[in-house]
């Protein structure tokens, strides 16, 4: 019987490896992209245009302070992100999901593909997510049906092999019984021959 991987087993397998799974890589890429969009400072000219009444003598100092705040935000955000991932075992959990999906043959769950469907299908992200989950369940059910059919076929082949062996044993037993009966006939004839009255010898 084929062993089925459980979420706990998959997490245990995922813990020792630092290789990024598909979902971990996508999570980190999304976080880094969002962080860059929030923490990347504007140019000095763009920043100054936001304060038209500010004394020009203060432009450089204020811009430097603003850039330093953004760098601090970026640094603390990264530290907090890593702490949450470590505390919640995010990488192990996502790698476990990757392993389970790979075991079931459900591989078409990449975020880029989903994002493209959101952009070009006119559907809302929630609707795309629901459709993706439904498709994943459909594929998993299809895989399970195929596994069940394979198991049923193997069982039928085993039953057929057992039936053939039983017929062979039955035929052998019948042959043995027939041989035994034949031996009894020979033995009976021999006994009668030995017990017959002596016959005079012909001269």
């Amino acid at each position: 019987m084929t062993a089925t991987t459980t979420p706990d087993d998959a997490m245990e397998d995922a813990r020792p490896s630092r290789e990024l799974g598909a979902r971990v890589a996508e999570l980190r890429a999304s976080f880094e992209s969002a962080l860059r969009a929030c923490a990347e400072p504007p140019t000095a000219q763009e920043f100054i245009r936001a304060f038209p009444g500010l004394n020009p003598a203060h432009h450089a100092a204020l811009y430097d302070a603003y850039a330093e705040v953004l760098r601090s935000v970026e640094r603390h955000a990264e530290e907090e992100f890593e702490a949450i991932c470590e505390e919640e075992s995010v990488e192990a959990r996502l790698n476990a999901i990757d392993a389970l999906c790979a075991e079931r043959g459900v591989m078409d769950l990449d975020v880029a593909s989903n994002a493209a469907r959101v952009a070009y299908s006119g559907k809302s992200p929630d609707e795309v997510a629901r459709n993706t989950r439904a498709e994943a369940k459909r594929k998993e059910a299809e895989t399970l049906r195929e596994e069940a059919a394979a198991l049923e076929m193997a069982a039928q082949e085993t039953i057929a092999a057992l039936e053939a062996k039983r017929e062979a044993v039955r035929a052998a037993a019948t042959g043995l019984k027939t041989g035994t009966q034949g031996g009894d006939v020979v033995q009976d004839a021999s006994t009668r021959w030995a017990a017959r009255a002596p016959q005079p010898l012909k001269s």
Side-chain angles (χ1 to χ4, degrees):
M1 183 177 180
T2 304
T4 302
T5 303
T6 65
D8 290 339
D9 293 336
M11 283 185 64
E12 288 294 332
D13 294 339
R15 280 194 184 101
S17 175
R18 294 296 299 173
E19 182 179 356
L20 297 184
R23 286 167 174 77
V24 174
E26 192 63 45
L27 172 66
R28 289 192 170 276
S30 298
F31 171 75
E32 291 169 2
S33 176
L35 187 58
R36 282 196 305 270
C38 295
E40 184 175 356
T43 64
Q45 291 76 14
E46 292 171 337
F47 180 78
I48 291 171
R49 283 200 296 269
F51 302 93
L54 185 65
N55 188 332
H58 300 154
H59 285 175
L62 187 59
Y63 179 75
D64 289 344
Y66 178 69
E68 179 59 32
V69 168
L70 290 181
R71 285 193 292 271
S72 177
V73 168
E74 182 177 14
R75 184 172 60 256
H76 285 88
E78 290 174 342
E79 293 173 354
E80 184 70 14
F81 176 78
E82 293 298 336
I84 292 174
C85 287
E86 181 71 21
E87 181 179 352
E88 300 296 334
S89 301
V90 171
E91 289 193 7
R93 292 174 185 273
L94 292 178
N95 286 340
I97 294 174
D98 285 341
L100 291 172
C101 288
E103 180 181 304
R104 297 297 187 186
V106 181
M107 305 301 294
D108 186 22
L109 293 175
D110 58 288
V111 175
S113 176
N114 291 341
R117 286 197 290 271
V118 172
Y120 299 109
S121 67
K123 298 178 180 178
S124 68
D126 287 343
E127 187 175 0
V128 172
R130 287 194 299 272
N131 291 344
T132 301
R133 287 194 295 270
E135 180 66 12
K137 290 180 179 179
R138 185 192 66 78
K139 289 185 177 181
E140 182 176 4
E142 182 177 344
T143 300
L144 290 174
R145 283 195 296 270
E146 291 175 354
E147 292 178 357
L151 289 173
E152 183 178 359
M153 182 177 296
Q156 291 176 352
E157 292 175 353
T158 301
I159 292 173
L162 290 174
E163 288 290 344
K165 288 182 179 180
R166 187 170 67 177
E167 288 298 328
V169 170
R170 183 181 300 167
T174 301
L176 180 61
K177 182 177 180 181
T178 302
T180 302
Q181 291 174 347
D184 293 341
V185 172
V186 172
Q187 182 180 4
D188 184 57
S190 299
T191 301
R192 288 199 306 272
W193 175 266
R196 68 183 174 78
Q199 300 293 327
L201 294 175
K202 296 181 180 180
S203 56

